[in-house]
Amino acid sequence: MVAPWRMLEEFAEPVARLMQTPGYLMPRRGTTLDRPRPLLPPGHVQWVPGAGELFYRDTGPPRRRAARGTILLLHGWMVPTDAHWFRTFDALHRQGWRVIALDARGHGRGLRTIRTFRFSDCAADAAALIEHLDCGPVTLVGYSMGGIIAQLIARNWPERVAGALLCATGCEFRTSLAMRAVWSSMGLLQVGWRLAPRGYWSALTKVMTVADPAVAEWFVAELARGAAWDIAEAGREIGRFDSRPWLEEIQVPTVVLVTLLDVLVPPGRQRDLAGRLGAPIVTLRADHLAPGTAPDRFHRALTRGLARLAEEQDQARVAA
């Protein structure tokens, strides 16, 4: 049997490939960083009633444009807010959005508890933060695992949601043979992370080649902030997730952004989610790591998705 930490090394390869993409970690030519990390909005750690001590980033309202509302960004599996969205904050803020992003439980600086990781708890945390900041109703942008959490928020707290853009995600992750093989291996991944977490991060460092070692160190350090056990359990939860029995309960406007070259969440599964929701589709010719491997195209698709969502919201208001 393959050693669990060998599986972790193999999982590290697509992350390393993302980091090798020109300009992913480093700023565009003509800009500077005064420290080896991207520029990010202010981070906050606050005790939120009904949830606990949550970490989130908040751009605040845009200064030079009429506010379009508030977006809550929900990151994907394993990659916390800073590493996932650091190129997205400014892009959306310049369009007139207040942008908030929350670390899910066990990821990055996310909440640590003795409870077993559950997406329902992550959704409750996000809903509590929206209420605490009095910033709702918000537009949810959920990517991959974040799309799962967004579905739960939209179903259980519709009054706090103006709409949802679901990116590179699905309503289930086990009918495909390939997906079933990936997510059923999370038990071994959990054991491997528990036994050899340092070996994993060492393997990740070895397989990447980044121009600036200091910035690469920042990225790896952000990944390493997560609680290994919770992250592995989150992987297993993805494999168990199935919103098909209750998806029709979601009544807020939705749009699905389909990543056409996706292997982890095949486009057919993403289109199935859109069909069951009756949601319009925006397509992006990119893989599952689109925010890193194709950031410019991803942000253009994100803009199209938000524009399409605004149309859906207008239609919903007229119908009401």
Side-chain angles (χ1 to χ4, degrees):
M1 184 177 70
V2 179
W5 43 89
R6 294 299 182 194
M7 296 175 59
L8 297 175
E9 291 180 11
E10 293 179 6
F11 185 83
E13 291 181 7
V15 179
R17 177 165 53 85
L18 179 153
M19 296 174 68
Q20 295 170 23
T21 303
Y24 177 66
L25 286 174
M26 296 302 295
R28 296 183 180 277
R29 184 173 298 178
T31 62
T32 60
L33 291 176
D34 59 1
R35 54 190 182 277
R37 47 154 282 185
L39 300 177
L40 295 163
H44 307 272
V45 177
Q46 289 189 9
W47 179 266
V48 176
E53 197 170 69
L54 302 183
F55 171 81
Y56 65 95
R57 292 199 180 274
D58 185 355
T59 63
R63 297 177 181 176
R64 299 179 182 178
R65 300 189 57 160
R68 299 179 61 183
T70 299
I71 283 179
L72 177 61
L73 299 175
L74 301 165
H75 62 78
W77 181 58
M78 256 193 64
V79 186
T81 285
D82 288 3
H84 192 128
W85 298 115
F86 72 88
R87 299 189 72 170
T88 305
F89 285 110
D90 186 58
L92 291 176
H93 195 233
R94 282 187 283 107
Q95 292 178 16
W97 295 96
R98 176 186 180 183
V99 186
I100 298 170
L102 170 71
D103 271 352
R105 294 189 175 207
H107 291 69
R109 300 172 178 82
L111 187 66
R112 307 292 200 265
T113 76
I114 61 173
R115 298 177 59 179
T116 302
F117 181 95
R118 292 290 181 266
F119 288 131
S120 56
D121 292 330
C122 296
D125 293 342
L129 180 64
I130 295 169
E131 182 177 31
H132 178 70
L133 296 178
D134 192 23
C135 61
V138 304
T139 296
L140 302 173
V141 175
Y143 199 97
S144 190
M145 182 188 82
I148 292 175
I149 297 170
Q151 291 175 53
L152 289 164
I153 299 170
R155 179 189 70 163
N156 296 333
W157 293 275
E159 71 284 356
R160 300 179 195 180
V161 179
L165 178 57
L166 307 174
C167 312
T169 192
C171 51
E172 56 81 26
F173 301 83
R174 55 190 175 189
T175 55
S176 160
L177 180 61
M179 288 195 297
R180 190 159 61 246
V182 169
W183 302 118
S184 64
S185 68
M186 288 303 110
L188 287 176
L189 182 62
Q190 193 177 60
V191 173
W193 242 319
R194 189 172 177 84
L195 293 179
R198 291 185 181 180
Y200 167 64
W201 303 118
S202 175
L204 178 59
T205 304
K206 287 178 182 177
V207 296
M208 50 180 198
T209 55
V210 180
D212 188 331
V215 180
E217 183 178 351
W218 169 82
F219 189 88
V220 175
E222 289 305 307
L223 297 183
R225 287 183 186 276
W229 189 262
D230 281 340
I231 292 174
E233 187 60 32
R236 296 189 70 185
E237 274 284 275
I238 292 173
R240 292 188 288 252
F241 181 78
D242 190 347
S243 61
R244 290 175 296 180
W246 50 262
L247 205 58
E248 63 183 16
E249 297 176 25
I250 295 178
Q251 298 299 313
V252 303
T254 56
V255 171
V256 174
L257 192 160
V258 176
T259 41
L260 296 174
L261 305 181
D262 206 317
V263 175
L264 286 179
V265 185
R269 301 276 74 77
Q270 301 178 48
R271 292 181 183 278
D272 180 56
L273 170 65
R276 292 175 183 273
L277 284 170
I281 288 174
V282 172
T283 61
L284 168 62
R285 190 169 181 78
D287 60 20
H288 197 70
L289 303 177
T293 57
D296 291 338
R297 281 186 285 131
F298 169 68
H299 289 139
R300 287 196 293 270
L302 187 63
T303 299
R304 294 198 308 272
L306 291 171
R308 189 68 181 87
L309 184 59
E311 294 174 4
E312 291 294 299
Q313 291 168 327
D314 289 341
Q315 293 176 12
R317 281 192 287 268
V318 170

